Amino acid sequence: MNIFSANSSANSLFQKIEQVRRRRSKVHDTNITLAHGSGGKAMRDLIDDIFVSNFDNPILSQLEDQATFNLTSLMQQGDRLAFTTDSYVVDPLFFPGSDIGELAVNGTINDLAVSGAKPLYLTCSVILEEGLPIETLRRVANSMQAAAKKADIQIVTGDTKVVHRGAADKLFINTTGIGVIRPGVAISAHNIQPKDVVIINGELGNHGTAILIARGELALETDIESDCQPLHDLVETILDICPEIHAMRDATRGGLATVLNEFALSSNVAIRVNEQSIPIREQVKGVCEILGLDPLYLANEGKLVVVVGRENADKVLSAMQSHPAGKNSCIIGEVISSPPGIVLLKTIFGAERIVDMLVGDQLPRIC
């Protein structure tokens, strides 16, 4: 037998065995144990099986304690970095329209996007409660990767911790994101000026209502799903036709009312919104009336509030309506000079009332 031919056959066999070994699940436990956070083999197998295999990309596969990036590549895409972090503790983990994994990815993408940044890389840090079903963690990781792939970003590093049963509620996720801001874009809540207009990209309150119903504590049934979605592509569409956007923010916890109050305080202006122009589903209004909630404070996970100069309002609105994430966009209000720091709501009856910042929390653990 030719010795080289024999070695080649053996190598091929070893490669096939290695491929089968890698495809085979390394985690055979059905639930998370403290060993999965011990730093030993069980933890390494969990990371390989659940996270590395799902998030696979050239940076993550190095398995270093940090992710490294090529600065030249970043500088070709913009002249500033945007950097943000957020934690996700939503209850329940799975709810109509989304789950904690997709929420964690899209939430951090949106925090970057509203600065005008193009999101590029995310981290993923998880805190697992002892006893969490492995299958639940696998579903969440699959969802995170699907969301990352859809948004064309990479999850490049992370961390895993396990705490004793009862020390946490099943699963918490922290994601940190890095993006690049293109030259000429300077979006800030401090840029808002009188005569600006306020635009929103669709219905309010769907996410908060979906979470409320999913908890099953109320005898209510609706077909409302979370509005969880990435907004960076919509923001890019807006900036392509109008880089002079004054302010942007995604209306998450605290809802539209909190975002508008933050805008008014930052720029020392007043904002007047028209109740009749604010898009809210009748089902959301109905749930709010039954429970005594105000839909202006309900959480959202895919709603973009844009403030732009009146001279650019029509083309920005048209661009937003041309995008799937903004097809229901509409102008809901205007910026006025006084009273400074105040948000006013013109009601459907023609009266005006002050819309204050959220005091307390209408609905905890919604993101």
Side-chain angles (χ1 to χ4, degrees):
M1 176 184 291
N2 185 315
I3 186 169
F4 297 106
S5 176
N7 285 339
S8 176
S9 297
N11 289 337
S12 177
L13 177 61
F14 288 143
Q15 287 174 358
K16 289 180 179 177
I17 292 173
E18 180 62 14
Q19 288 173 354
V20 170
R21 188 184 68 80
R22 290 186 177 184
R23 284 200 298 267
R24 198 166 53 203
S25 173
K26 290 183 176 181
V27 178
H28 302 292
D29 300 310
T30 56
N31 295 81
I32 292 292
T33 69
L34 293 178
H36 290 122
S38 66
K41 185 176 185 306
M43 179 174 166
R44 177 59 185 263
D45 286 348
L46 183 79
I47 292 172
D48 283 349
D49 192 349
I50 304 293
F51 298 112
V52 176
S53 62
N54 266 301
F55 303 160
D56 187 33
N57 59 69
I59 298 176
L60 180 66
S61 63
Q62 299 297 316
L63 293 181
E64 299 288 353
D65 283 346
Q66 71 294 125
T68 57
F69 313 102
N70 185 302
L71 286 179
T72 303
S73 172
L74 295 179
M75 291 169 64
Q76 289 171 347
Q77 301 180 65
D79 60 0
R80 285 157 293 159
L81 283 179
F83 188 36
T84 188
T85 189
D86 206 346
S87 297
Y88 298 85
V89 299
V90 65
D91 176 37
L93 299 179
F94 302 91
F95 46 85
S98 191
D99 59 64
I100 189 172
E102 183 183 28
L103 186 65
V105 172
N106 288 344
T108 299
I109 286 174
N110 293 344
D111 285 344
L112 292 169
V114 293
S115 71
K118 178 181 180 181
L120 296 174
Y121 303 109
L122 294 187
T123 70
C124 169
S125 177
V126 296
I127 297 176
L128 311 174
E129 182 187 17
E130 181 187 11
L132 176 76
I134 294 289
E135 184 54 31
T136 297
L137 183 60
R138 200 182 297 279
R139 282 180 62 190
V140 170
N142 288 342
S143 183
M144 292 186 76
Q145 175 57 9
K149 185 176 181 181
K150 181 179 178 183
D152 194 24
I153 62 165
Q154 293 181 333
I155 300 172
V156 294
T157 190
D159 184 48
T160 303
K161 294 290 189 301
V162 178
V163 296
H164 287 281
R165 195 183 300 268
D169 189 3
K170 301 181 281 291
L171 167 62
F172 298 152
I173 300 176
N174 174 273
T175 45
T176 296
I178 289 179
V180 179
I181 303 174
R182 64 170 82 176
V185 171
I187 300 171
S188 169
H190 295 85
N191 294 340
I192 298 170
Q193 304 167 14
K195 299 184 180 178
D196 284 354
V197 300
V198 182
I199 305 174
I200 193 162
N201 67 323
E203 298 168 338
L204 290 178
N206 291 354
H207 176 74
T209 305
I211 295 294
L212 184 64
I213 301 300
R215 289 181 182 168
E217 298 168 350
L218 306 167
L220 296 173
E221 291 186 6
T222 73
D223 60 358
I224 296 172
E225 294 187 343
S226 169
D227 61 350
C228 182
Q229 62 177 337
L231 296 170
H232 64 301
D233 198 51
L234 173 61
V235 170
E236 196 165 329
T237 298
I238 295 170
L239 295 179
D240 282 345
I241 62 103
C242 182
E244 302 86 11
I245 296 297
H246 290 171
M248 280 188 189
R249 196 155 292 178
D250 52 335
T252 54
R253 281 184 303 170
L256 175 67
T258 298
V259 169
L260 294 180
N261 272 279
E262 290 172 350
F263 281 169
L265 288 170
S266 296
S267 286
N268 203 33
V269 295
I271 296 177
R272 180 194 288 129
V273 290
N274 189 337
E275 184 176 20
Q276 207 160 15
S277 302
I278 299 174
I280 303 172
R281 290 180 67 172
E282 289 301 320
Q283 287 175 297
V284 173
K285 290 180 181 177
V287 171
C288 288
E289 287 176 4
I290 291 171
L291 300 176
L293 302 175
D294 188 336
L296 296 182
Y297 295 97
L298 282 182
N300 312 273
E301 290 296 340
K303 288 299 169 291
L304 180 66
V305 185
V306 181
V307 182
V308 62
R310 186 175 297 277
E311 68 279 10
N312 291 317
D314 288 343
K315 67 178 181 181
V316 169
L317 179 62
S318 177
M320 292 175 69
Q321 291 172 337
S322 71
H323 192 280
K327 60 183 179 182
N328 296 317
S329 298
C330 56
I331 295 174
I332 61 170
E334 61 181 347
V335 179
I336 54 181
S337 56
S338 65
I342 297 296
V343 176
L344 300 169
L345 177 73
K346 185 177 181 180
T347 71
I348 57 176
F349 303 109
E352 279 192 346
R353 70 174 176 89
I354 293 175
V355 179
D356 207 347
M357 293 193 80
L358 178 63
V359 178
D361 202 341
Q362 287 198 128
L363 189 64
R365 295 189 60 187
I366 40 74
C367 63

